[in-house]
Amino acid sequence: MTQLLLRMFVKDYQNTESPKVHAAVGTLAGVTGILCNALLFLCKLLAGLLAGSVSILADAVNNLSDASSSVVTLLGFRMAQQPADQDHPYGHARYEYLSGLVVAALILLIGFDLAKSSFDKILHPTAVDFSPVTFLVLALSVALKLWMSAFFGTLGRRIRSTTLQATGVDSRNDVIASLAVLAGCLIERFFHLAIDGYVGLAVALFILYSGFSLVRETISPLLGKQADRELVEHMSALILSHDKVLGIHDLLVHDYGPGQCYASVHVEVSADEDPMVCHDIIDDIEQDAWEQLGVHLVIHYDPVEQNDAEWQAMSRTLEEILQSIEPGLSMHDFRMVRGSKQTKLVFDLAVPYAMTGRRQEFKQRIDAELEKRGKPYPTVIRFDGK
């Protein structure tokens, strides 16, 4: 079904790196969500009013919030496709994240309102008139939401959209909520237990939980979360696949929204290589990163001394010292700056974020270990996080 809809409404749907395809898939998802959730809202609203059930009405309002979320998602995808301008040179793709944040805020507001209504029903319970029509509406709701969960999840993975993947998870959560409402109505119908208010409150709390989770997921990329591990692995493998590349470090990925990924990296190449050859290699890698991964990559060229015996010996010594101090430490950009009176060891030290407060300690221990080994070189250390 998903493939059929993609073929019908999205041109060149297999080219998932295309911004136009990204926008078209987002539009398809938004329109589908609006239509399906609006239909579910109307059906559940009618069923809830006929049955006098606050839990069914809560589930109906939850679908209304989903329809509103789809409208915001649709607008977010549309706004995200605006081209770059003088004030926003990296484009407007982060509008997609902002739309997800608005959706989360709507879910939270509705969740609080439903919790209040359900609490009133607990204090002042009334009978629920459960009928075959009500059962049919809830059963069809579960089936449709199961399909929507798979639909949004598939589209989200196809275009790597956290917003659509979150929408798929939200639809799966709605299945659980509708099943809880259905179970509550059946229990009240056959066992005469007034639990409608409690079920409504449980659904409201579930909605609030989903809202808070969505807030966390949408704020994280706006704050600059860690790059996707799979993308980092693919990028590293692509760079290291070139024969003359000895190593890489300081790979930084900047996410300006779906389809707007920028990265920078330091690439180590032998200092004996022709600089013009290295320049061509770097150009090729940057082009491959864009064509294969859709990443705007900028490379800093780091020449590495391979025929300097003293450099090699001190590099090994420092690596041994670092491992003896803390296995999580790593060094790069190592240089020996030789002056008329003394030689300095200059390098970058990558320290895990959890150990940031120990940087001064590491500097003192490195100097002490060099002194102990009869290598009292002054050190100039630049600290990186990892």
Side-chain angles (χ1 to χ4, degrees), residues 123-331:
L123 297 178
H124 309 287
T126 56
V128 174
D129 183 17
F130 189 70
S131 66
V133 174
T134 305
F135 176 83
L136 182 62
V137 167
L138 292 175
L140 290 176
S141 171
V142 169
L144 182 56
K145 278 293 183 178
L146 278 173
W147 175 80
M148 291 173 67
S149 177
F151 176 69
F152 290 130
T154 300
L155 294 185
R157 288 188 295 273
R158 178 178 286 273
I159 64 172
R160 293 197 291 272
S161 169
T162 55
T163 299
L164 290 186
Q165 291 184 50
T167 303
V169 173
D170 187 47
S171 295
R172 184 198 64 192
N173 294 343
D174 290 341
V175 171
I176 299 173
S178 294
L179 286 173
V181 172
L182 180 58
C185 290
L186 289 173
I187 291 173
E188 187 154 335
R189 171 68 176 81
F190 293 105
F191 296 96
H192 307 291
L193 297 175
I195 64 170
D196 185 56
Y198 294 98
V199 174
L201 182 60
V203 172
L205 293 176
F206 192 71
I207 292 171
L208 289 171
Y209 173 78
S210 299
F212 281 117
S213 299
L214 188 55
V215 167
R216 185 173 62 250
E217 291 171 4
T218 52
I219 284 181
S220 186
L222 291 172
L223 294 177
K225 71 174 183 179
Q226 183 69 276
D228 179 69
R229 182 178 296 275
E230 184 178 356
L231 175 62
V232 171
E233 291 175 352
H234 286 169
M235 202 180 310
S236 299
L238 184 151
I239 298 170
L240 292 171
S241 66
H242 289 71
D243 294 337
K244 296 186 183 297
V245 174
L246 302 177
I248 63 174
H249 57 85
D250 283 352
L251 174 57
L252 303 176
V253 181
H254 309 278
D255 181 6
Y256 291 96
Q260 295 293 330
C261 185
Y262 291 77
S264 61
V265 66
H266 289 226
V267 171
E268 298 172 353
V269 182
S270 173
D272 297 328
E273 291 289 346
D274 185 336
M276 297 304 295
V277 172
C278 294
H279 184 274
D280 289 341
I281 293 172
I282 288 172
D283 280 349
D284 290 342
I285 296 173
E286 291 174 341
Q287 185 65 27
D288 290 343
W290 170 245
E291 293 177 352
Q292 298 179 31
L293 303 175
V295 175
H296 302 274
L297 180 62
V298 177
I299 295 177
H300 175 79
Y301 162 51
D302 275 348
V304 176
E305 294 284 355
Q306 289 188 299
N307 298 318
D308 186 325
E310 185 182 12
W311 185 96
Q312 294 285 350
M314 287 308 306
S315 177
R316 287 193 297 270
T317 299
L318 279 172
E319 292 288 359
E320 292 171 2
I321 290 174
L322 294 178
Q323 289 303 305
S324 68
I325 294 174
E326 182 63 56
L329 300 177
S330 60
M331 177 187 70

Side-chain angles (χ1 to χ4, degrees), residues 323-382:
Q323 289 303 305
S324 68
I325 294 174
E326 182 63 56
L329 300 177
S330 60
M331 177 187 70
H332 58 82
D333 277 354
F334 172 63
R335 292 179 292 128
M336 296 187 70
V337 181
R338 297 179 173 92
S340 58
K341 295 183 178 179
Q342 62 180 1
T343 297
K344 295 181 180 179
L345 306 182
V346 181
F347 58 93
D348 288 12
L349 184 61
V351 179
Y353 289 109
M355 302 179 187
T356 301
R358 300 176 59 190
R359 290 180 174 181
Q360 188 61 34
E361 172 197 342
F362 293 145
K363 169 76 165 66
Q364 293 173 351
R365 292 182 65 179
I366 291 169
D367 291 341
E369 285 293 328
L370 287 170
E371 182 80 28
K372 187 187 300 182
R373 298 181 186 215
K375 309 285 186 181
Y377 293 107
T379 59
V380 178
I381 304 175
R382 294 184 297 268

